[in-house]
Structures are given as C-alpha cells and as structure tokens.
C-alpha cells in the first residue's frame, strides 16, 4: 500500500540509540547544524525537514499537531524505528511532546515548545511569526549572500538567537528554506501553533526535560506551564540563550539530551 504522505527529507548520522531532531516553524533541519556533530558522537541522529520546509513536501490536508505527528510516526515506521529519543525546538518541541503522548518517545528534550500560550501571547507570537515570514520573503534574494558574513548572519537570526553572531552559515540559511520559502506556512501557523491545545499529557511515560533560553522573547512563559501537566517533567533555564538556542549553548543542549536519555531506563516501557 502506498503511504498517504510523501516521505520527509532527512539526514542520518552517528550511531547508538536513535535520536530524532525536530526544528521549529520557519526553519529547516540545518537549524541543528551546530549540534549534529556533537550529538552524533552519542546517538544515531535522524534530522528531518518538517512538511513544507526545506526539501520536504507540503503536508496534504490541514497541518494540525495530530496530522503532523501522524507524518512523523509514518516516517519512523519507514525507518524501522519504534521509540526514539527526541530533541525539538518550538513547534518541534511541541511535536516531540505529542510523540511522547503516543508512546513513541524514549525521552524528550523540548526547547521552548509551543502549545500553552494564553490568548494574548498567541496573538503576540503570531504577529512575530507573520513579521518574520514577510521580512524573509522580501529579502529572500539576499539571504544567501547575507549568510556569508557575521553581520548578515546576525541580521538573519536576531530575535531567534540571543547571540546571533555565533550562528553558522547553515543555520542562517535555514530561514531561506523556512520563513522565506516554506510551503503551507500560514496554515501551519494557524493549525499547529495558534489554535493548538495539548491534551493527554498525563499519559506521558518517559523522561521529559523542558528547556528555555532566559532571553527567549518569543515563547514567553509557555514552557514552564508544561511542568505540572507532564508526570516527572523537569524545567531547565538556559542562560544567555534565546528562543532557538542551538548555537547559543550547544554543549548545554547536548548535556540535556544525554542526561534525559540516561533517565529513560528508569521508566516503564
């Protein structure tokens, strides 16, 4: 039987237990470029482009959290993977939590996950994402040359990183395949972020670490609200880090992933 949705674009590297990386809306798998070499020393890393981003095809139908998680589950099945460790950022963090609800996660590290914003916070976040989409579509012809120097990379990732000058060229280019060119951006923003309400969090039976940069100006107080709703969840603030902290504090994130994964053996499976 043919799959309902085309396969997601991915890169796989490293060895060990499987680790799935999930970026946020408006980015691509390259948003993790600073982390992948470090994580591949410890895990079999599967880094994917979410539907409509980078080289992955647009989602067929409404891109709700449930529908996007269906796609991720189908891809895990296609790779012969049952349960995996998951590291996700923003929308990717929310999807990581949903995989845990469905018992497909061995452990989760969710960095600034969406899903629990209050109505005014959702309006604010929607306005930020709208501005980022329009700005990057307008400067799309200039993103590639901008990514070649520190000033350009800083301009491309300011607002997402606390220290955007540390961004790699690949990370800076992720806004091209994301905010500038992603297909189905507006429907994903509406269905997967602005109107999403998480349910079933009490069913999660794996270690979950919720991380957030202390300089995150996008997700506000959403992250810590997950703690009382997920059994055994832990919250870790990330100093001098922003909403997408992958290049702000890569070593701290790798440490979170390793320590959270090590706790998985203490949970029932």
């Amino acid at each position: 039987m043919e799959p309902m949705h085309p396969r997601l674009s991915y890169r796989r590297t490293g060895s060990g237990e499987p680790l799935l990386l999930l970026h946020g809306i408006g980015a691509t798998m390259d948003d993790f470029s600073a982390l992948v070499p470090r994580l591949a020393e410890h895990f079999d890393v599967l880094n994917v482009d979410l539907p409509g981003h980078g080289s992955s095809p647009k989602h067929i139908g409404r891109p709700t959290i449930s529908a996007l998680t269906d796609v991720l589950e189908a891809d895990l099945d296609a790779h012969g993977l049952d349960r995996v460790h998951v590291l996700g950022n923003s929308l990717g963090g929310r999807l990581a939590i949903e995989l845990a609800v469905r018992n497909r996660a061995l452990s989760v590290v969710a960095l600034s996950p969406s899903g629990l914003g209050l109505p005014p916070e959702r309006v604010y976040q929607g306005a930020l994402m709208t501005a980022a989409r329009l700005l990057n579509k307008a400067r799309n012809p200039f993103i590639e040359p901008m990514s070649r120097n520190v000033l350009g990379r800083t301009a491309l990732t300011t607002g997402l990183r606390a220290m955007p000058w540390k961004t790699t060229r690949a990370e800076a280019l992720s806004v091209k395949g994301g905010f500038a060119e992603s297909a189905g951006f507006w429907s994903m923003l509406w269905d997967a972020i602005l109107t999403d309400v998480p349910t079933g969090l009490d069913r999660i039976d794996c270690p979950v670490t919720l991380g957030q940069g202390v300089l995150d100006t996008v997700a506000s107080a959403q992250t810590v609200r997950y703690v009382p709703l997920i059994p055994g969840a832990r919250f870790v603030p990330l100093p001098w880090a922003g909403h997408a902290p992958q290049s702000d504090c890569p070593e701290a994130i790798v440490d979170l992933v390793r320590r959270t994964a090590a706790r998985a053996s203490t949970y029932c499976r």
Side-chain angles (χ1 to χ4, degrees), residues 196-261:
D196 169 51
V197 179
T199 60
L201 302 179
D202 59 315
R203 300 200 301 269
I204 293 177
D205 186 27
C206 72
V208 175
T209 299
L210 301 151
Q212 184 172 22
V214 297
L215 300 178
D216 183 352
T217 60
V218 178
S220 58
Q222 291 185 65
T223 306
V224 73
R225 292 182 189 134
Y226 275 102
V227 175
L229 303 177
I230 299 175
R234 301 178 182 180
F235 175 74
V236 177
L238 299 171
W240 305 108
H243 180 68
Q246 289 88 314
S247 57
D248 288 331
C249 53
E251 296 299 343
I253 294 171
V254 172
D255 184 60
L256 280 186
V257 173
R258 294 188 66 193
R259 288 193 287 115
T260 306

Short mmCIF file of all heavy atoms in Angstrom, two decimals, residues 196-261:
data_model
loop_
_atom_site.label_atom_id
_atom_site.label_comp_id
_atom_site.label_asym_id
_atom_site.label_seq_id
_atom_site.Cartn_x
_atom_site.Cartn_y
_atom_site.Cartn_z
N ASP A 196 -3.65 25.44 18.59
CA ASP A 196 -3.34 24.14 19.18
C ASP A 196 -3.57 24.15 20.69
O ASP A 196 -3.14 25.08 21.38
CB ASP A 196 -1.88 23.77 18.89
CG ASP A 196 -1.41 22.58 19.70
OD1 ASP A 196 -2.10 21.55 19.70
OD2 ASP A 196 -0.35 22.70 20.36
N VAL A 197 -4.23 23.12 21.20
CA VAL A 197 -4.42 22.93 22.65
C VAL A 197 -3.99 21.50 22.99
O VAL A 197 -4.67 20.54 22.61
CB VAL A 197 -5.88 23.16 23.07
CG1 VAL A 197 -6.04 22.92 24.57
CG2 VAL A 197 -6.33 24.57 22.70
N PRO A 198 -2.87 21.31 23.68
CA PRO A 198 -2.39 19.96 24.00
C PRO A 198 -3.36 19.21 24.92
O PRO A 198 -3.97 19.80 25.81
CB PRO A 198 -1.06 20.22 24.72
CG PRO A 198 -0.66 21.60 24.31
CD PRO A 198 -1.94 22.35 24.13
N THR A 199 -3.48 17.92 24.69
CA THR A 199 -4.29 17.04 25.56
C THR A 199 -3.51 15.76 25.81
O THR A 199 -2.57 15.43 25.08
CB THR A 199 -5.65 16.70 24.91
OG1 THR A 199 -5.42 16.03 23.66
CG2 THR A 199 -6.47 17.96 24.69
N GLY A 200 -3.92 15.02 26.82
CA GLY A 200 -3.34 13.71 27.09
C GLY A 200 -1.94 13.74 27.67
O GLY A 200 -1.25 12.71 27.68
N LEU A 201 -1.49 14.88 28.17
CA LEU A 201 -0.12 14.99 28.67
C LEU A 201 0.12 14.09 29.88
O LEU A 201 1.25 13.67 30.13
CB LEU A 201 0.19 16.44 29.03
CG LEU A 201 0.05 17.46 27.88
CD1 LEU A 201 0.36 18.87 28.39
CD2 LEU A 201 0.97 17.10 26.72
N ASP A 202 -0.93 13.77 30.62
CA ASP A 202 -0.79 12.91 31.79
C ASP A 202 -0.46 11.47 31.42
O ASP A 202 -0.07 10.68 32.28
CB ASP A 202 -2.07 12.95 32.63
CG ASP A 202 -3.30 12.48 31.86
OD1 ASP A 202 -3.46 12.90 30.70
OD2 ASP A 202 -4.08 11.69 32.42
N ARG A 203 -0.61 11.13 30.13
CA ARG A 203 -0.31 9.76 29.69
C ARG A 203 1.17 9.56 29.37
O ARG A 203 1.59 8.43 29.08
CB ARG A 203 -1.15 9.42 28.45
CG ARG A 203 -2.65 9.48 28.66
CD ARG A 203 -3.38 8.69 27.58
NE ARG A 203 -3.11 9.17 26.24
CZ ARG A 203 -3.85 10.10 25.61
NH1 ARG A 203 -4.87 10.66 26.23
NH2 ARG A 203 -3.55 10.47 24.38
N ILE A 204 1.95 10.60 29.39
CA ILE A 204 3.36 10.50 29.02
C ILE A 204 4.12 9.67 30.04
O ILE A 204 4.03 9.90 31.25
CB ILE A 204 3.99 11.90 28.90
CG1 ILE A 204 3.38 12.64 27.70
CG2 ILE A 204 5.51 11.81 28.75
CD1 ILE A 204 3.89 14.06 27.52
N ASP A 205 4.85 8.67 29.55
CA ASP A 205 5.59 7.76 30.43
C ASP A 205 7.04 7.66 29.96
O ASP A 205 7.54 6.58 29.65
CB ASP A 205 4.93 6.37 30.43
CG ASP A 205 5.58 5.44 31.43
OD1 ASP A 205 6.14 5.93 32.44
OD2 ASP A 205 5.56 4.21 31.21
N CYS A 206 7.69 8.79 29.85
CA CYS A 206 9.11 8.84 29.54
C CYS A 206 9.66 10.13 30.14
O CYS A 206 8.89 11.06 30.44
CB CYS A 206 9.36 8.78 28.02
SG CYS A 206 8.91 10.29 27.13
N PRO A 207 10.97 10.21 30.35
CA PRO A 207 11.54 11.44 30.92
C PRO A 207 11.41 12.61 29.95
O PRO A 207 11.69 12.47 28.76
CB PRO A 207 12.99 11.08 31.19
CG PRO A 207 13.27 9.92 30.31
CD PRO A 207 11.99 9.17 30.17
N VAL A 208 10.97 13.74 30.47
CA VAL A 208 10.81 14.95 29.66
C VAL A 208 11.54 16.10 30.34
O VAL A 208 11.31 16.39 31.51
CB VAL A 208 9.32 15.32 29.49
CG1 VAL A 208 9.19 16.66 28.76
CG2 VAL A 208 8.57 14.22 28.74
N THR A 209 12.44 16.73 29.60
CA THR A 209 13.11 17.94 30.06
C THR A 209 12.66 19.11 29.20
O THR A 209 12.72 19.04 27.98
CB THR A 209 14.64 17.80 29.98
OG1 THR A 209 15.06 16.73 30.82
CG2 THR A 209 15.32 19.09 30.44
N LEU A 210 12.20 20.15 29.86
CA LEU A 210 11.73 21.35 29.18
C LEU A 210 12.77 22.44 29.38
O LEU A 210 13.06 22.83 30.50
CB LEU A 210 10.39 21.79 29.76
CG LEU A 210 9.29 20.72 29.62
CD1 LEU A 210 8.27 20.84 30.73
CD2 LEU A 210 8.62 20.84 28.26
N GLY A 211 13.36 22.89 28.28
CA GLY A 211 14.39 23.92 28.36
C GLY A 211 13.93 25.20 27.69
O GLY A 211 13.16 25.17 26.73
N GLN A 212 14.39 26.32 28.22
CA GLN A 212 14.07 27.60 27.60
C GLN A 212 15.18 28.60 27.86
O GLN A 212 15.67 28.71 28.99
CB GLN A 212 12.74 28.16 28.13
CG GLN A 212 12.32 29.46 27.44
CD GLN A 212 10.93 29.91 27.84
OE1 GLN A 212 10.42 29.53 28.88
NE2 GLN A 212 10.30 30.71 27.00
N GLY A 213 15.58 29.31 26.82
CA GLY A 213 16.55 30.36 26.98
C GLY A 213 15.99 31.49 27.84
O GLY A 213 14.83 31.88 27.65
N VAL A 214 16.78 31.99 28.74
CA VAL A 214 16.29 33.05 29.62
C VAL A 214 16.08 34.35 28.84
O VAL A 214 15.41 35.27 29.33
CB VAL A 214 17.26 33.29 30.79
CG1 VAL A 214 17.36 32.06 31.67
CG2 VAL A 214 18.64 33.71 30.29
N LEU A 215 16.61 34.43 27.63
CA LEU A 215 16.43 35.61 26.79
C LEU A 215 15.46 35.34 25.65
O LEU A 215 15.46 36.05 24.65
CB LEU A 215 17.79 36.08 26.24
CG LEU A 215 18.83 36.45 27.31
CD1 LEU A 215 20.14 36.86 26.66
CD2 LEU A 215 18.31 37.58 28.21
N ASP A 216 14.63 34.31 25.80
CA ASP A 216 13.62 33.98 24.80
C ASP A 216 12.54 35.06 24.79
O ASP A 216 11.84 35.26 25.79
CB ASP A 216 13.00 32.62 25.13
CG ASP A 216 11.99 32.15 24.10
OD1 ASP A 216 11.64 32.92 23.20
OD2 ASP A 216 11.55 30.98 24.22
N THR A 217 12.38 35.75 23.67
CA THR A 217 11.37 36.80 23.55
C THR A 217 10.16 36.34 22.74
O THR A 217 9.28 37.15 22.45
CB THR A 217 11.98 38.04 22.88
OG1 THR A 217 12.45 37.69 21.58
CG2 THR A 217 13.13 38.60 23.70
N VAL A 218 10.12 35.06 22.40
CA VAL A 218 9.04 34.54 21.56
C VAL A 218 8.02 33.73 22.36
O VAL A 218 6.81 33.95 22.27
CB VAL A 218 9.60 33.68 20.41
CG1 VAL A 218 8.47 33.09 19.56
CG2 VAL A 218 10.55 34.49 19.54
N ALA A 219 8.50 32.77 23.15
CA ALA A 219 7.60 31.80 23.80
C ALA A 219 7.09 32.25 25.15
O ALA A 219 6.26 31.56 25.75
CB ALA A 219 8.31 30.46 23.94
N SER A 220 7.57 33.36 25.68
CA SER A 220 7.14 33.89 26.97
C SER A 220 7.15 32.80 28.04
O SER A 220 8.15 32.12 28.23
CB SER A 220 5.76 34.56 26.85
OG SER A 220 4.79 33.64 26.36
N ALA A 221 6.02 32.58 28.73
CA ALA A 221 6.01 31.65 29.87
C ALA A 221 5.43 30.29 29.52
O ALA A 221 5.09 29.51 30.41
CB ALA A 221 5.22 32.27 31.03
N GLN A 222 5.31 29.97 28.22
CA GLN A 222 4.67 28.71 27.84
C GLN A 222 5.39 27.49 28.37
O GLN A 222 4.76 26.53 28.83
CB GLN A 222 4.59 28.61 26.32
CG GLN A 222 3.63 29.58 25.66
CD GLN A 222 3.52 29.32 24.18
OE1 GLN A 222 3.03 28.27 23.77
NE2 GLN A 222 3.97 30.27 23.36
N THR A 223 6.71 27.50 28.30
CA THR A 223 7.48 26.29 28.57
C THR A 223 7.25 25.75 29.98
O THR A 223 6.96 24.56 30.17
CB THR A 223 8.98 26.56 28.35
OG1 THR A 223 9.17 27.09 27.04
CG2 THR A 223 9.79 25.28 28.50
N VAL A 224 7.37 26.60 30.98
CA VAL A 224 7.28 26.13 32.36
C VAL A 224 5.87 25.64 32.70
O VAL A 224 5.69 24.85 33.64
CB VAL A 224 7.73 27.25 33.32
CG1 VAL A 224 6.69 28.36 33.41
CG2 VAL A 224 8.07 26.69 34.70
N ARG A 225 4.87 26.06 31.94
CA ARG A 225 3.50 25.61 32.21
C ARG A 225 3.31 24.13 31.94
O ARG A 225 2.35 23.52 32.42
CB ARG A 225 2.51 26.42 31.35
CG ARG A 225 2.42 27.89 31.73
CD ARG A 225 1.40 28.63 30.89
NE ARG A 225 1.50 30.06 31.14
CZ ARG A 225 1.52 31.00 30.21
NH1 ARG A 225 1.46 30.66 28.93
NH2 ARG A 225 1.61 32.28 30.54
N TYR A 226 4.20 23.53 31.15
CA TYR A 226 4.10 22.10 30.89
C TYR A 226 4.48 21.27 32.12
O TYR A 226 4.06 20.11 32.24
CB TYR A 226 5.02 21.71 29.73
CG TYR A 226 4.42 21.90 28.36
CD1 TYR A 226 4.77 22.98 27.56
CD2 TYR A 226 3.53 20.97 27.84
CE1 TYR A 226 4.24 23.15 26.29
CE2 TYR A 226 2.99 21.12 26.57
CZ TYR A 226 3.35 22.22 25.80
OH TYR A 226 2.81 22.37 24.54
N VAL A 227 5.30 21.81 33.00
CA VAL A 227 5.88 21.02 34.09
C VAL A 227 4.82 20.32 34.94
O VAL A 227 4.90 19.10 35.17
CB VAL A 227 6.83 21.87 34.95
CG1 VAL A 227 7.34 21.07 36.14
CG2 VAL A 227 8.00 22.37 34.11
N PRO A 228 3.79 21.01 35.47
CA PRO A 228 2.81 20.30 36.30
C PRO A 228 1.88 19.38 35.52
O PRO A 228 1.17 18.58 36.12
CB PRO A 228 2.02 21.45 36.96
CG PRO A 228 2.16 22.59 36.01
CD PRO A 228 3.52 22.46 35.41
N LEU A 229 1.89 19.48 34.19
CA LEU A 229 0.98 18.68 33.37
C LEU A 229 1.59 17.37 32.89
O LEU A 229 0.87 16.46 32.49
CB LEU A 229 0.52 19.50 32.15
CG LEU A 229 -0.16 20.84 32.46
CD1 LEU A 229 -0.49 21.57 31.15
CD2 LEU A 229 -1.41 20.64 33.30
N ILE A 230 2.93 17.28 32.91
CA ILE A 230 3.62 16.08 32.45
C ILE A 230 4.27 15.39 33.64
O ILE A 230 5.10 15.99 34.33
CB ILE A 230 4.69 16.44 31.40
CG1 ILE A 230 4.05 17.10 30.18
CG2 ILE A 230 5.48 15.20 30.98
CD1 ILE A 230 5.06 17.59 29.14
N PRO A 231 3.91 14.14 33.91
CA PRO A 231 4.48 13.44 35.08
C PRO A 231 6.00 13.42 35.04
O PRO A 231 6.61 12.98 34.06
CB PRO A 231 3.91 12.02 34.94
CG PRO A 231 2.65 12.19 34.15
CD PRO A 231 2.92 13.31 33.18
N GLY A 232 6.62 13.90 36.12
CA GLY A 232 8.07 13.84 36.26
C GLY A 232 8.85 14.81 35.41
O GLY A 232 10.08 14.74 35.36
N ALA A 233 8.18 15.73 34.72
CA ALA A 233 8.88 16.67 33.84
C ALA A 233 9.77 17.61 34.65
O ALA A 233 9.45 17.99 35.78
CB ALA A 233 7.88 17.47 33.01
N ARG A 234 10.87 18.01 34.04
CA ARG A 234 11.82 18.94 34.67
C ARG A 234 12.01 20.16 33.77
O ARG A 234 12.01 20.04 32.55
CB ARG A 234 13.17 18.25 34.90
CG ARG A 234 13.09 17.01 35.78
CD ARG A 234 14.46 16.35 35.94
NE ARG A 234 14.38 15.14 36.76
CZ ARG A 234 15.42 14.37 37.06
NH1 ARG A 234 16.64 14.69 36.59
NH2 ARG A 234 15.27 13.29 37.80
N PHE A 235 12.17 21.31 34.41
CA PHE A 235 12.40 22.56 33.68
C PHE A 235 13.83 23.03 33.92
O PHE A 235 14.29 23.06 35.06
CB PHE A 235 11.42 23.64 34.12
CG PHE A 235 11.70 24.98 33.49
CD1 PHE A 235 11.40 25.22 32.16
CD2 PHE A 235 12.28 26.00 34.23
CE1 PHE A 235 11.66 26.45 31.58
CE2 PHE A 235 12.55 27.24 33.66
CZ PHE A 235 12.23 27.46 32.33
N VAL A 236 14.52 23.39 32.84
CA VAL A 236 15.90 23.86 32.94
C VAL A 236 16.02 25.17 32.17
O VAL A 236 15.85 25.20 30.95
CB VAL A 236 16.88 22.83 32.35
CG1 VAL A 236 18.31 23.38 32.40
CG2 VAL A 236 16.79 21.51 33.10
N PRO A 237 16.32 26.28 32.86
CA PRO A 237 16.58 27.54 32.14
C PRO A 237 17.96 27.51 31.51
O PRO A 237 18.90 26.96 32.08
CB PRO A 237 16.48 28.59 33.26
CG PRO A 237 16.85 27.86 34.51
CD PRO A 237 16.38 26.43 34.32
N LEU A 238 18.07 28.10 30.33
CA LEU A 238 19.34 28.14 29.62
C LEU A 238 19.86 29.58 29.61
O LEU A 238 19.31 30.44 28.90
CB LEU A 238 19.15 27.64 28.18
CG LEU A 238 18.65 26.19 28.04
CD1 LEU A 238 18.29 25.89 26.60
CD2 LEU A 238 19.67 25.21 28.57
N PRO A 239 20.90 29.87 30.40
CA PRO A 239 21.42 31.25 30.48
C PRO A 239 21.95 31.73 29.13
O PRO A 239 22.50 30.97 28.35
CB PRO A 239 22.54 31.13 31.51
CG PRO A 239 22.26 29.87 32.27
CD PRO A 239 21.61 28.96 31.28
N TRP A 240 21.80 33.01 28.87
CA TRP A 240 22.33 33.66 27.67
C TRP A 240 21.90 32.94 26.40
O TRP A 240 22.68 32.77 25.47
CB TRP A 240 23.86 33.75 27.75
CG TRP A 240 24.32 34.45 28.98
CD1 TRP A 240 24.91 33.89 30.06
CD2 TRP A 240 24.19 35.85 29.28
NE1 TRP A 240 25.16 34.85 31.03
CE2 TRP A 240 24.72 36.07 30.56
CE3 TRP A 240 23.65 36.95 28.59
CZ2 TRP A 240 24.76 37.32 31.17
CZ3 TRP A 240 23.68 38.19 29.18
CH2 TRP A 240 24.23 38.36 30.45
N ALA A 241 20.65 32.50 26.37
CA ALA A 241 20.13 31.78 25.21
C ALA A 241 18.77 32.34 24.82
O ALA A 241 18.03 32.86 25.66
CB ALA A 241 20.02 30.29 25.50
N GLY A 242 18.42 32.21 23.53
CA GLY A 242 17.17 32.73 23.02
C GLY A 242 16.16 31.63 22.72
O GLY A 242 16.25 30.52 23.24
N HIS A 243 15.20 31.96 21.85
CA HIS A 243 14.11 31.03 21.55
C HIS A 243 14.59 29.78 20.85
O HIS A 243 14.12 28.68 21.12
CB HIS A 243 13.06 31.74 20.69
CG HIS A 243 11.89 30.88 20.33
ND1 HIS A 243 10.97 30.46 21.28
CD2 HIS A 243 11.48 30.35 19.14
CE1 HIS A 243 10.05 29.72 20.69
NE2 HIS A 243 10.34 29.63 19.40
N ALA A 244 15.52 29.94 19.90
CA ALA A 244 16.12 28.81 19.19
C ALA A 244 17.60 28.79 19.59
O ALA A 244 18.44 29.37 18.91
CB ALA A 244 15.95 28.96 17.68
N PRO A 245 17.93 28.15 20.71
CA PRO A 245 19.25 28.32 21.34
C PRO A 245 20.33 27.39 20.83
O PRO A 245 21.38 27.23 21.48
CB PRO A 245 18.94 28.03 22.81
CG PRO A 245 17.87 26.98 22.75
CD PRO A 245 17.04 27.32 21.54
N GLN A 246 20.13 26.75 19.67
CA GLN A 246 21.04 25.70 19.23
C GLN A 246 22.49 26.15 19.14
O GLN A 246 23.39 25.37 19.45
CB GLN A 246 20.57 25.15 17.88
CG GLN A 246 19.30 24.30 17.96
CD GLN A 246 18.03 25.10 17.84
OE1 GLN A 246 17.89 26.13 18.48
NE2 GLN A 246 17.09 24.63 17.04
N SER A 247 22.74 27.38 18.68
CA SER A 247 24.12 27.85 18.62
C SER A 247 24.47 28.76 19.79
O SER A 247 25.63 29.13 19.95
CB SER A 247 24.38 28.59 17.30
OG SER A 247 23.48 29.67 17.13
N ASP A 248 23.48 29.12 20.61
CA ASP A 248 23.76 29.91 21.81
C ASP A 248 24.48 29.07 22.86
O ASP A 248 25.40 29.54 23.53
CB ASP A 248 22.46 30.45 22.42
CG ASP A 248 21.83 31.55 21.59
OD1 ASP A 248 22.57 32.28 20.90
OD2 ASP A 248 20.59 31.69 21.65
N CYS A 249 24.04 27.82 23.02
CA CYS A 249 24.60 26.97 24.08
C CYS A 249 24.58 25.50 23.65
O CYS A 249 23.90 24.68 24.29
CB CYS A 249 23.83 27.17 25.39
SG CYS A 249 22.03 26.95 25.22
N PRO A 250 25.28 25.13 22.59
CA PRO A 250 25.22 23.76 22.08
C PRO A 250 25.65 22.70 23.09
O PRO A 250 25.03 21.64 23.18
CB PRO A 250 26.14 23.79 20.85
CG PRO A 250 27.01 24.98 21.04
CD PRO A 250 26.18 25.98 21.78
N GLU A 251 26.71 22.98 23.84
CA GLU A 251 27.18 21.97 24.80
C GLU A 251 26.15 21.72 25.89
O GLU A 251 25.95 20.58 26.33
CB GLU A 251 28.51 22.41 25.41
CG GLU A 251 29.65 22.51 24.39
CD GLU A 251 29.96 21.19 23.71
OE1 GLU A 251 29.54 20.13 24.21
OE2 GLU A 251 30.60 21.22 22.64
N ALA A 252 25.46 22.77 26.35
CA ALA A 252 24.43 22.61 27.37
C ALA A 252 23.27 21.78 26.85
O ALA A 252 22.70 20.95 27.57
CB ALA A 252 23.94 23.97 27.84
N ILE A 253 22.92 21.98 25.58
CA ILE A 253 21.81 21.22 24.99
C ILE A 253 22.19 19.75 24.84
O ILE A 253 21.40 18.85 25.16
CB ILE A 253 21.39 21.82 23.65
CG1 ILE A 253 20.81 23.22 23.87
CG2 ILE A 253 20.37 20.93 22.95
CD1 ILE A 253 20.56 23.99 22.60
N VAL A 254 23.40 19.48 24.37
CA VAL A 254 23.86 18.09 24.26
C VAL A 254 23.84 17.42 25.63
O VAL A 254 23.41 16.26 25.76
CB VAL A 254 25.27 18.03 23.65
CG1 VAL A 254 25.83 16.61 23.72
CG2 VAL A 254 25.25 18.51 22.20
N ASP A 255 24.25 18.14 26.65
CA ASP A 255 24.24 17.59 28.01
C ASP A 255 22.81 17.28 28.46
O ASP A 255 22.56 16.24 29.07
CB ASP A 255 24.90 18.58 28.96
CG ASP A 255 25.01 18.03 30.38
OD1 ASP A 255 25.66 16.98 30.56
OD2 ASP A 255 24.45 18.65 31.31
N LEU A 256 21.86 18.17 28.15
CA LEU A 256 20.47 17.92 28.49
C LEU A 256 19.95 16.65 27.82
O LEU A 256 19.27 15.83 28.44
CB LEU A 256 19.60 19.10 28.06
CG LEU A 256 19.55 20.35 28.93
CD1 LEU A 256 18.52 21.33 28.38
CD2 LEU A 256 19.23 20.01 30.37
N VAL A 257 20.27 16.50 26.53
CA VAL A 257 19.81 15.33 25.79
C VAL A 257 20.39 14.05 26.38
O VAL A 257 19.69 13.06 26.60
CB VAL A 257 20.18 15.45 24.30
CG1 VAL A 257 19.85 14.16 23.55
CG2 VAL A 257 19.45 16.62 23.67
N ARG A 258 21.67 14.07 26.68
CA ARG A 258 22.33 12.87 27.23
C ARG A 258 21.79 12.52 28.61
O ARG A 258 21.51 11.35 28.91
CB ARG A 258 23.84 13.08 27.29
CG ARG A 258 24.51 13.21 25.92
CD ARG A 258 26.02 13.22 26.05
NE ARG A 258 26.51 11.93 26.54
CZ ARG A 258 27.74 11.71 26.98
NH1 ARG A 258 28.61 12.72 27.01
NH2 ARG A 258 28.11 10.51 27.37
N ARG A 259 21.63 13.53 29.46
CA ARG A 259 21.14 13.26 30.82
C ARG A 259 19.68 12.82 30.80
O ARG A 259 19.28 11.94 31.58
CB ARG A 259 21.32 14.49 31.70
CG ARG A 259 22.78 14.76 32.07
CD ARG A 259 22.94 15.77 33.19
NE ARG A 259 22.65 17.12 32.74
CZ ARG A 259 21.64 17.85 33.17
NH1 ARG A 259 20.78 17.36 34.06
NH2 ARG A 259 21.45 19.09 32.73
N THR A 260 18.88 13.40 29.93
CA THR A 260 17.48 12.99 29.84
C THR A 260 17.37 11.58 29.29
O THR A 260 16.58 10.78 29.78
CB THR A 260 16.69 13.98 28.96
OG1 THR A 260 16.88 15.32 29.46
CG2 THR A 260 15.21 13.67 28.99
N ALA A 261 18.15 11.27 28.28
CA ALA A 261 18.13 9.92 27.71
C ALA A 261 18.57 8.88 28.73
O ALA A 261 18.04 7.76 28.77
CB ALA A 261 19.04 9.86 26.48
#
